[in-house]
């Protein structure tokens, strides 16, 4: 939905601004808000405006999902000031006074407030709407509220639960409700939303929340909370809609995240972008410094080494992998997701080695190589660039922004949710694997969903082995899309994968024999071969991560605790802070 009703977003945001945050004690009964949504036209403005709640742009115009993957996880590193909160999480120095943490907390509650505001006024207009349209509005807003509560519960665990619009500030100061109870309520809301929403929309409404999106979010919430039966049930319900909804895996994984993939059948929910409104700065945050960009977010060597070899084995087990030619015989998603040393990107032979002061263009001329940290300290730390969502067309035109839509949910994720849930349930057979994880893997190799050859097909039925496989598959398939933080937390592997240095590229691949070891959780260990890799902690102080188990949850912002205290009430803090 290329925001066909952009003005609706702006209008609703302006009107509701006086009640933008639940817990900041701003008046909730401002005159402009109290008289809003008294007509169907205003209702339409409000619901369209609430869609804005799914797009949160941070520094350099980066989506919050990008910040969740890069900095606080093992797959990406960042040096972006306005994402200092998530970077601090990766450094292990997260505390209740962190400003970005408080910003997210306020942001999600503001979204919940908007949804509650609409839900309270919607019944007053029921007589002016058909039953179908009334249910559609209701389903959309229930989804949007659940979307914010998913992030709230995953980031902070137990949080105050509001399903109404407080009439006085003190009414908003509720105690924390258990995560389990909130999840139960949101799971019910999402099922109700799915029952109310259409399978598809047409015309100017194409891109709105659908039945499949509601079921997909329900599947994601169930997965995150180890509700395997519900996760499998909801994911399968989406899969059963495949024909009616037109869902399909886009045949080209690289183009899926480029301009050529816009409007693809895999995207189930998007955060729309436009050069004039909500434009992302993907070229600026991901792009090569040789093209004039800042390159402030980079993938790590650990992610690079997580892509298996073409024989379907991790690189420490594969007979076709060689560290001397580390990017050959690898899962095609490696080159589709990352710009690797030695490859051609836009009009340059990309090199990022500290010794490479000069870079060669495709026309044979040379120039100073600002992608090398020996030339400029701010060059990308690990030696790689994100290619996923780095709009090649915009980069070639030297544009700082991109209007590529960011996918908040895509069909491949649903297939992987189904696979993981069935694996955990012990309901494993080849039919299930071929219908889910093998479809995703086949697409990576350019094969169709019915292919049984031409790619490393999963055939093992061993539950333990499949747990390792699904962890790796989610790590590489969904990289840079905002899932990694929640995965390493729910799998309880953050304490293993985080407190290690973020190494960069091999310094001398022609003569190396170094191959890192990868365990069943996908942890890549460089023990004993550390000197083989580039490492520059002086330029990127967050290159070495620290971990404390309290970081499995974010701290409740100190500003919220102080607000409660100032009104004679108590808001409890998460353990360890």
């Amino acid at each position: 939905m290329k925001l066909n009703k952009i003005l609706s977003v702006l209008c609703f945001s302006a009107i509701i601004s006086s009640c933008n945050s639940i817990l900041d004690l701003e008046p909730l009964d401002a005159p402009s808000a109290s008289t809003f949504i008294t007509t169907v036209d205003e209702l339409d403005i409000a619901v369209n405006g609430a869609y804005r709640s799914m797009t949160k742009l941070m520094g350099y115009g980066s989506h919050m999902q990008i910040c969740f993957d890069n900095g606080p996880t093992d797959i990406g590193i960042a040096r972006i000031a306005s994402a200092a909160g998530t970077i601090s999480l990766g450094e292990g120095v997260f505390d209740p006074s962190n400003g970005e943490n408080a910003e997210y907390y306020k942001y999600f509650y503001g979204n919940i407030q908007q949804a509650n505001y609409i839900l309270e006024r919607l019944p007053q207009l029921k007589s002016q709407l058909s039953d179908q349209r009334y249910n559609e509005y209701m389903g959309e807003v229930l989804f949007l509220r659940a979307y914010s509560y998913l992030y709230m519960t995953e980031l902070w665990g137990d949080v105050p639960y509001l399903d109404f619009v407080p009439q006085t500030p003190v009414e908003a100061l509720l105690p924390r409700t258990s995560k389990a109870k909130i999840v139960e309520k949101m799971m019910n809301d999402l099922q109700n939303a799915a029952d109310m929403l259409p399978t598809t929309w047409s015309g100017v409404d194409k891109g709105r929340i659908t039945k499949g999106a509601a079921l997909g979010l329900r599947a994601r919430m169930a997965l995150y909370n180890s509700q395997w039966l519900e996760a499998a049930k909801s994911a399968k319900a989406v899969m059963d809609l495949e024909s009616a909804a037109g869902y399909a895996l886009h045949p080209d994984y690289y183009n899926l995240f480029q301009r050529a993939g816009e409007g693809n059948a895999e995207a189930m929910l998007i955060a729309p972008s436009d050069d004039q409104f909500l434009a992302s700065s993907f070229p600026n945050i991901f792009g090569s410094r040789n093209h004039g960009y800042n390159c402030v977010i980079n993938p790590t060597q650990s992610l690079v080494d997580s892509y298996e070899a073409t024989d379907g084995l991790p690189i420490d087990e594969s007979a076709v992998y060689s560290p001397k030619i580390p990017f050959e015989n690898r899962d095609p998603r490696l080159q589709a997701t990352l710009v690797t040393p030695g490859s051609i990107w836009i009009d340059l032979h990309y090199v990022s080695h500290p010794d490479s002061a000069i870079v060669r263009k495709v026309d044979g001329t040379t120039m100073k190589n600002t992608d090398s940290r020996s030339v400029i300290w701010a060059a990308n730390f690990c030696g790689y660039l994100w290619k996923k969502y780095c709009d090649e067309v915009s980069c070639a035109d030297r544009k700082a922004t991109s209007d590529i839509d960011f996918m908040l949910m895509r069909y491949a994720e649903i297939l992987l949710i189904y696979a993981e849930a069935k694996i955990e349930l012990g309901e494993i057979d080849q039919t299930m694997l071929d219908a889910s994880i093998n479809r995703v893997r086949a697409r990576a190799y350019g094969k169709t969903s019915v292919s049984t050859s031409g790619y490393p097909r999963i055939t093992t039925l061993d539950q333990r082995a499949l747990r390792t496989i699904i962890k790796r598959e989610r790590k590489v398939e969904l990289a840079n899309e905002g899932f990694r933080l929640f995965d390493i937390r729910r799998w309880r592997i953050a304490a293993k994968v985080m407190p290690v240095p973020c190494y960069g590229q091999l310094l001398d691949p022609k003569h190396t024999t170094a191959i890192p070891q990868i365990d069943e959780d996908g942890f890549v260990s460089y023990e004993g071969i550390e000197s083989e890799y580039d490492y520059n902690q002086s330029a990127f102080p967050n290159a070495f991560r620290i971990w404390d188990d309290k970081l499995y949850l974010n701290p409740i912002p100190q500003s919220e605790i102080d607000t409660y205290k100032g009104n004679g009430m108590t808001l409890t803090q998460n353990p360890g802070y």
Side-chain angles (χ1 to χ4, degrees), residues 81 114 170 257 272 290 352 354 367 379 420 431 459 463 498 540 563:
Q114 289 186 1
V170 174
F257 305 96
N290 283 323
S352 52
M367 60 181 285
E420 183 175 353
T431 299
T459 57
Q463 186 184 50
M498 287 303 296
F540 284 79
T563 296

Side-chain angles (χ1 to χ4, degrees), residues 170-394:
V170 174
E171 285 185 20
L173 303 181
L174 299 178
R176 296 170 69 177
T177 298
S178 72
K179 177 184 179 183
K181 289 184 178 180
I182 296 174
V183 167
E184 180 183 5
K185 290 176 182 292
M186 293 304 102
M187 292 283 286
N188 289 335
D189 279 357
L190 287 168
Q191 185 60 61
N192 289 335
D195 294 340
M196 295 174 179
L197 288 165
T199 302
T200 60
W201 296 84
S202 60
V204 296
D205 289 321
K206 188 175 182 181
R208 301 183 78 90
I209 298 163
T210 61
K211 178 187 294 289
L215 290 168
L217 188 63
R218 190 176 191 275
R220 184 188 296 175
M221 182 172 279
L223 185 83
Y224 284 0
N225 289 276
S226 301
Q227 296 184 19
W228 310 120
L229 184 61
E230 291 301 317
K233 176 183 174 182
S234 291
K236 184 59 167 63
V238 177
M239 295 162 68
D240 290 342
L241 291 174
E242 183 174 306
S243 178
Y247 298 141
L249 296 182
H250 192 66
D252 188 312
Y253 184 80
Y254 167 69
N255 281 336
L256 176 61
F257 305 96
Q258 297 290 316
R259 195 165 301 196
E262 290 271 79
N264 68 80
E266 186 168 340
M268 298 174 59
L269 185 68
I270 63 169
S273 183
D274 185 272
D275 275 339
Q276 304 302 315
F277 181 76
L278 291 179
S280 75
S281 293
F282 288 141
N284 198 23
I285 61 176
F286 298 145
S288 162
R289 295 190 70 87
N290 283 323
H291 287 100
Y293 300 119
N294 284 294
C295 187
V296 294
I297 292 178
N298 309 122
T300 63
Q301 183 67 38
S302 176
L303 174 63
V304 172
D305 290 332
S306 297
Y307 289 87
E308 64 190 18
T310 51
D311 57 5
L313 295 173
I315 60 173
D316 62 333
E317 299 178 19
S318 172
V320 301
Y321 170 77
S322 169
K324 292 179 171 59
I325 47 173
F327 309 120
E328 294 187 17
N329 301 320
R330 301 292 295 278
D331 184 327
R333 285 172 292 189
L334 172 58
Q335 294 291 349
T337 304
L338 311 178
V339 181
T340 58
S343 62
I344 295 177
W345 179 240
I346 316 297
D347 54 359
L348 294 172
H349 293 267
Y350 176 73
V351 291
S352 52
H353 195 281
D355 293 340
S356 300
I358 301 296
V359 64
R360 182 165 56 92
K361 298 182 179 181
V362 293
D363 64 8
T365 60
T366 61
M367 60 181 285
K368 183 170 69 173
N369 183 19
T370 53
D371 281 324
S372 170
R373 65 177 176 84
S374 65
V375 175
I376 182 170
W377 73 269
N380 54 318
F381 170 75
C382 294
Y384 306 92
L385 302 175
W386 284 111
K387 189 181 293 184
K388 180 185 281 189
Y389 280 120
C390 191
D391 180 7
E392 188 172 359
V393 175
S394 293

Side-chain angles (χ1 to χ4, degrees), residues 461-486:
L461 303 182
D462 180 76
Q463 186 184 50
R464 182 171 178 175
L466 287 169
R467 282 174 172 155
T468 294
I469 289 169
I470 195 67
K471 286 176 182 175
R472 181 173 68 236
E473 198 67 21
R474 283 185 64 91
K475 186 177 184 181
V476 301
E477 172 70 23
L478 303 176
N480 209 33
E481 297 180 51
F483 296 97
R484 185 63 177 167
L485 175 62
F486 304 113

